Amino acid sequence: MKFKSVVTIVTIFIIAGALISFYFLSPSLSLGSGNQAVVLNGNDNNVSAGSDNAITRENALTGTTSWKIPTGSESTTQIQGYVSTTSVKPGKSLTFYISTQVAQTSYRIDVFRLGWYSGLGGRLMNSIPNLSGQAQGYYDATGKHLVNCTSCTITKDTGLIETHWKPSYTLQVPTDWITGIYLAKFTDINGKQSYAPFDVLGSTTSPYIAVTPDTTYAAYNDWGGSGLYDADDLFQGTSVSNRAVKVSLDKPYDVENGASQVLVFIVQTVRWMEQHNYDVSYASDLDLQGTPHLLDGHKAYISLGHDEYWTKSMRATVEKARNDGIGLAFMGANAIYWQMRFEPDSAGVVDRTIVSYKVQTANQDLARDPMYGKDNSVVTAMWRDPVVGRPENAVVGVLFSNLTHDQNGFPWRVAPQAASLPLLKDTNLQPNQSYGCGVVGYEWDRAHTSPNGTPDNPSYSSTTPKDLHIISASPTVSSETKQPDVSNSAYYIAPSGALVFATGSIYWETTLDSYRAHDDSKCGDKSTAVPEMQALMKNVMAALIVKHNPNSF
């Protein structure tokens, strides 16, 4: 072969190689920039997980479905309990406070870690049998009566109830327990069962940290007869306007057999992340309060579930993370809606009392909060209220719009302008097409770009981030107003290059896995995981841990 021909062939190969390299490494085809790019192709967007991390090894162990409470075995009044802390480090201890309706009733504690475990959903970590029950009082939720709780203290002007129960069992958490969301299941001799949740903390440098909304669990907890939403006859006519302004963590959860929101809104994301081997650590939002640098070693923060109640310090921690280039994902809706504060419990233990007066400028009741006029930045109003003036969409991108109590929710519909968004690459999501059943609700968020007020009040503030990208525009109808509305999933890129993603719906997480705590009668066999939305979430997870050009993603 002549030399000239050889040169020509070599040149052709060099040019072809350069074109191939340009095609696969072009920023328009990847998430991120420079050497941080994560190509959205096949399974490459799962590179954040890898095959050898603590979550992968944990989920290879033998799982069980015995974490579930069988139908008919739910405790109503027979056995109730709570834990001393919302999160614990391996090697440290936590204490269970348990009351049986009848003294000396034999019971057991089984501790489960929630995860994938080949689809079984949990692993039995420890069993403590043959415990003798202490009759320390109980709450009859049906009759709305607190019964025989002689140690309970009730503060009528605030609605605060503390149990002051005696300890029942102290668990030394083994050093080899893996980070996760755990359920303690209490089972009495007659088979009646209830739960208490807690988190086990993990690596401070895992790519992802997923945070449980324990402050919101507490806000909706009316065990004993009062919560931030309701109060029973004991409080009628008091200054709390028939609801509490303070709620203690020193009492059982009166929601979902003691599990609060874990099995309804959150567990699907946990199962999905662990099925796909993401290297994730878990923590409580109380850890955001107590550890200002909690997020510093991670690349992405994931807000799980219905994350409604935030302190000024919690918000500062998350905003700093975003400003430092850490990605944020808000998996539910109605996040950062009410400001709250912490107070110690009556024994002086910090951060065991949730305080939220829920004052509003429009109601002319700001003075009910003792901090009004002293430090308005911590007044417990909506974050969008003029007295605080820090609307939630300045962080989340979208803000709470409305809700329905008539059904779980509505289908999720891709916005017509979303087709070109990189997060939709390889998802098969089609503009103007609807997906899922009962997933947009029961509360939803929407984008709000008008500078004049928010959906619920024209005097409230709204701060939409620059270049907010709308992924979905799902038609909804409020059960309160009977008016049509819309819900938006959306994202933006912060000046730091961090991606901030919001689903815009409390039930959106149910699209990631087919487990349901309750059947949705309006959905039937349509109530299942949605592969296209799972693919979107894979793209989101990849995009969360890299920095982006704010002007081109």
Side-chain angles (χ1 to χ4, degrees), residues 1 67 107 119 143 154 175 248 272 308 325 341 349 373 464 509 544:
M1 186 178 294
W67 56 271
Y107 72 95
I154 301 170
T175 57
S248 176
W272 180 84
E308 184 175 356
R341 300 191 298 270
V349 180
T464 298
E509 292 178 82
L544 284 172

Side-chain angles (χ1 to χ4, degrees), residues 153-435:
T153 56
I154 301 170
T155 308
K156 286 195 173 184
D157 62 342
T158 63
L160 179 66
I161 297 174
E162 292 180 324
T163 62
H164 303 283
W165 285 353
K166 294 179 180 179
S168 302
Y169 185 83
T170 296
L171 174 69
Q172 189 75 23
V173 176
T175 57
D176 61 352
W177 276 20
I178 299 301
T179 183
I181 298 176
Y182 286 65
L183 283 179
K185 188 170 74 167
F186 313 129
T187 305
D188 75 4
I189 190 68
N190 300 308
K192 292 299 183 180
Q193 302 178 356
S194 64
Y195 294 120
F198 63 94
D199 300 335
V200 171
L201 303 174
S203 168
T204 58
T205 59
S206 60
Y208 304 94
I209 180 168
V211 177
T212 55
D214 294 83
T215 56
T216 304
Y217 297 171
Y220 283 86
N221 182 25
D222 61 359
W223 187 97
S226 72
L228 293 188
Y229 291 85
D230 299 296
D232 66 16
D233 293 342
L234 179 65
F235 299 94
Q236 297 299 311
T238 68
S239 61
V240 299
S241 301
N242 303 332
R243 63 171 176 78
V245 297
K246 296 184 180 182
V247 179
S248 176
L249 288 166
D250 297 328
K251 64 179 189 176
Y253 288 124
D254 186 33
V255 176
E256 296 292 333
N257 304 310
S260 192
Q261 300 172 4
V262 172
L263 299 178
V264 179
F265 306 135
I266 292 173
V267 74
Q268 292 87 357
T269 299
V270 173
R271 289 166 61 101
W272 180 84
M273 288 191 300
E274 301 205 359
Q275 179 187 9
H276 292 88
N277 303 322
Y278 288 102
D279 188 0
V280 58
S281 294
Y282 295 87
S284 164
D285 57 2
L286 273 78
D287 297 304
L288 289 176
Q289 174 75 12
T291 312
H293 297 286
L294 178 71
L295 307 181
D296 289 359
H298 304 281
K299 295 181 179 180
Y301 156 85
I302 300 172
S303 160
L304 296 170
H306 187 186
D307 200 0
E308 184 175 356
Y309 287 81
W310 288 55
T311 68
K312 180 181 178 181
S313 296
M314 289 164 55
R315 179 165 176 166
T317 297
V318 172
E319 286 183 335
K320 178 183 180 300
R322 178 199 60 185
N323 296 343
D324 289 343
I326 296 171
L328 312 180
F330 294 90
M331 297 303 297
N334 194 217
I336 321 183
Y337 187 66
W338 287 107
Q339 179 158 223
M340 52 151 286
R341 300 191 298 270
F342 280 110
E343 290 181 358
D345 63 16
S346 58
V349 180
V350 299
D351 299 344
R352 293 294 290 176
T353 303
I354 308 296
V355 179
S356 188
Y357 286 85
K358 293 190 176 181
V359 295
Q360 297 187 53
T361 297
N363 292 343
Q364 300 182 340
D365 65 349
L366 298 178
R368 283 201 302 113
D369 189 325
M371 292 306 295
Y372 177 64
K374 297 178 181 178
D375 183 356
N376 287 358
S377 71
V378 296
V379 166
T380 53
M382 296 177 192
W383 285 94
R384 63 179 71 172
D385 191 289
V387 71
V388 180
R390 299 177 63 194
E392 60 268 35
N393 60 339
V395 180
V396 183
V398 292
L399 46 69
F400 171 72
S401 183
N402 224 308
L403 77 165
T404 180
H405 291 303
D406 294 337
Q407 58 196 85
N408 281 355
F410 304 88
W412 186 80
R413 181 179 296 179
V414 179
Q417 69 271 33
S420 62
L421 296 179
L423 287 182
L424 265 65
K425 181 177 172 62
D426 296 331
T427 64
N428 202 32
L429 289 168
Q430 302 299 318
N432 294 315
Q433 293 296 309
S434 295
Y435 299 87

